[in-house]
Amino acid sequence: MIEELKTFIAVVDKKSFTKAAASINISQPSVSLHIVTLEKNFNTRLIERSNKQRTILITQTGEMLYKKAKQILSLIDDTKQELTNYYTSTSGTLKIGASMTIGEFLLPSILGDFIKEFPNISLEVAIDNTHNIFEKFKSYDIDIALTEGSLPVHNFTFKNFYKDTMVVVTPNSFTFDKNIGLRTCLSNQTWMHREEGSGTGEYLNMFLNAEDISPKNYIILGSNYAIKEAVRNNLGVTFISSLVVSSAADSHELKIIPTKTKYNRYFSYLVHEKNLSRIATLFVEKLEQCSSLNNLL
């Protein structure tokens, strides 16, 4: 249909089948065939032909199709250019989703470097717990998902890009006796816990099981900052990323309790396996640089 529309536009512009054929480099019989095809498809007469005077007259419906055909071909050209730019251009909008720890404590520095290098890229960033970010990713609401919990990965590219250290954190006034051990000191404590669907909450549960710690109760909070502040204000203890609490520990606002086992987890990125844009590829490359600097392996 596209070629037929191009032929029709040429006929209208040149007012001649012969001149139209020459202008688009096809035979005159092909021009006639294209016009007949359009007339059959739209069930209308587009061109009146005068064999004696060798002139053509564009009908009223032909004039209507001519205008629409030019709009259609222009839209196709624009779409083709946009699709080409999708894979080659370093401008456009990149939609990133990040789980809370990544979004609050790691992503800003990565984005700062990225925007300095590619100032024509616009960013839309969603920060939520791991479960909700994954749901946005599956629905194609975001281009790249940065997560910190376990996920049912299928039909996606999934790769670790940062090694994070999880630590036990208590109020600064908390007394820890290493001779007694974690289990005795940390059981029967109030634990600050993230909401269901949080990667941090998932790892806290794994830690408690691994160390056989039995909390007295939990306080559920919806952000890392809220958990840090709750611990700092003597509401309880927690197990959280060192990214969240290292500066507060350095200033003696709270205390990091040493553990015999070093608890690491990995931040990961997910991208859809097909149709990765140029700007998404550039961001993935930035994450790979972060992985290298982090000594991930």
Side-chain angles (χ1 to χ4, degrees):
M1 182 65 70
I2 294 175
E3 294 304 316
E4 283 83 354
L5 291 175
K6 289 180 178 178
T7 300
F8 179 66
I9 290 172
V11 170
V12 175
D13 288 342
K14 300 298 183 181
K15 300 293 190 295
S16 164
F17 279 50
T18 302
K19 292 179 181 179
S23 69
I24 57 177
N25 198 29
I26 63 174
S27 67
Q28 185 171 332
S30 294
V31 171
S32 299
L33 179 60
H34 285 179
I35 300 304
V36 170
T37 299
L38 287 174
E39 289 181 330
K40 287 182 178 179
N41 184 75
F42 292 108
N43 193 30
T44 186
R45 191 75 168 172
L46 300 173
I47 297 175
E48 297 292 351
R49 305 159 182 82
S50 173
N51 291 328
K52 291 182 179 180
Q53 298 180 357
R54 294 186 178 182
T55 59
I56 62 172
L57 174 66
I58 310 304
T59 66
Q60 189 171 357
T61 53
E63 293 286 354
M64 293 171 61
L65 180 61
Y66 175 75
K67 294 178 182 178
K68 292 293 184 183
K70 296 192 77 171
Q71 293 174 10
I72 291 169
L73 294 181
S74 176
L75 180 60
I76 290 173
D77 287 341
D78 289 345
T79 303
K80 183 178 180 180
Q81 186 62 45
E82 287 181 13
L83 295 177
T84 299
N85 289 341
Y86 181 80
Y87 295 105
T88 61
S89 177
T90 56
S91 64
T93 300
L94 181 63
K95 297 180 181 180
I96 302 170
S99 54
M100 299 292 286
T101 305
I102 300 172
E104 293 175 340
F105 297 96
L106 184 62
L107 185 59
S109 62
I110 296 174
L111 292 181
D113 292 340
F114 185 68
I115 287 301
K116 286 180 183 177
E117 190 171 352
F118 305 104
N120 293 325
I121 295 177
S122 299
L123 298 171
E124 293 182 12
V125 180
I127 299 175
D128 208 328
N129 66 40
T130 293
H131 171 78
N132 292 338
I133 289 299
F134 186 54
E135 291 300 312
K136 291 178 186 293
F137 177 75
K138 289 193 300 182
S139 302
Y140 288 83
D141 293 329
I142 54 179
D143 304 310
I144 298 176
L146 309 179
T147 63
E148 59 198 72
S150 58
L151 296 169
V153 180
H154 54 87
N155 297 325
F156 311 126
T157 296
F158 175 93
K159 191 172 181 179
N160 297 332
F161 73 93
Y162 188 88
K163 182 168 67 176
D164 182 39
T165 300
M166 302 289 287
V167 293
V168 177
V169 185
T170 70
N172 198 51
S173 60
F174 185 87
T175 300
F176 173 68
D177 186 345
K178 63 180 179 180
N179 295 318
I180 296 176
L182 286 176
R183 181 171 178 270
T184 301
C185 282
L186 297 178
S187 289
N188 296 316
Q189 297 288 333
T190 297
W191 283 77
M192 304 300 107
H193 204 305
R194 285 284 306 280
E195 77 285 358
E196 184 177 355
S198 161
T200 295
E202 177 186 343
Y203 280 95
L204 189 153
N205 292 336
M206 292 168 60
F207 167 76
L208 294 176
N209 290 331
E211 298 289 346
D212 196 25
I213 294 171
S214 300
K216 179 174 67 176
N217 57 17
Y218 296 103
I219 296 177
I220 309 298
L221 296 168
S223 75
N224 295 310
Y225 178 80
I227 286 178
K228 182 187 73 172
E229 288 300 294
V231 174
R232 191 173 69 85
N233 286 281
N234 300 296
L235 292 181
V237 302
T238 196
F239 183 68
I240 201 166
S241 169
S242 59
L243 291 170
V244 179
V245 296
S246 58
S247 61
D250 291 341
S251 61
H252 305 291
E253 297 176 60
L254 42 74
K255 184 183 294 183
I256 294 177
I257 303 300
T259 59
K260 291 182 180 180
T261 302
K262 190 170 185 178
Y263 288 93
N264 293 320
R265 63 173 178 172
Y266 296 92
F267 295 158
S268 308
Y269 69 79
L270 289 85
V271 293
H272 297 283
E273 292 184 350
K274 298 179 180 179
N275 300 322
L276 192 62
S277 69
R278 174 60 177 160
I279 57 177
T281 300
L282 292 171
F283 188 74
V284 167
E285 291 173 357
K286 181 63 67 176
L287 294 177
E288 295 291 348
Q289 293 174 19
C290 177
S291 172
S292 177
L293 293 172
N294 180 238
N295 296 316
L296 181 62
L297 300 179

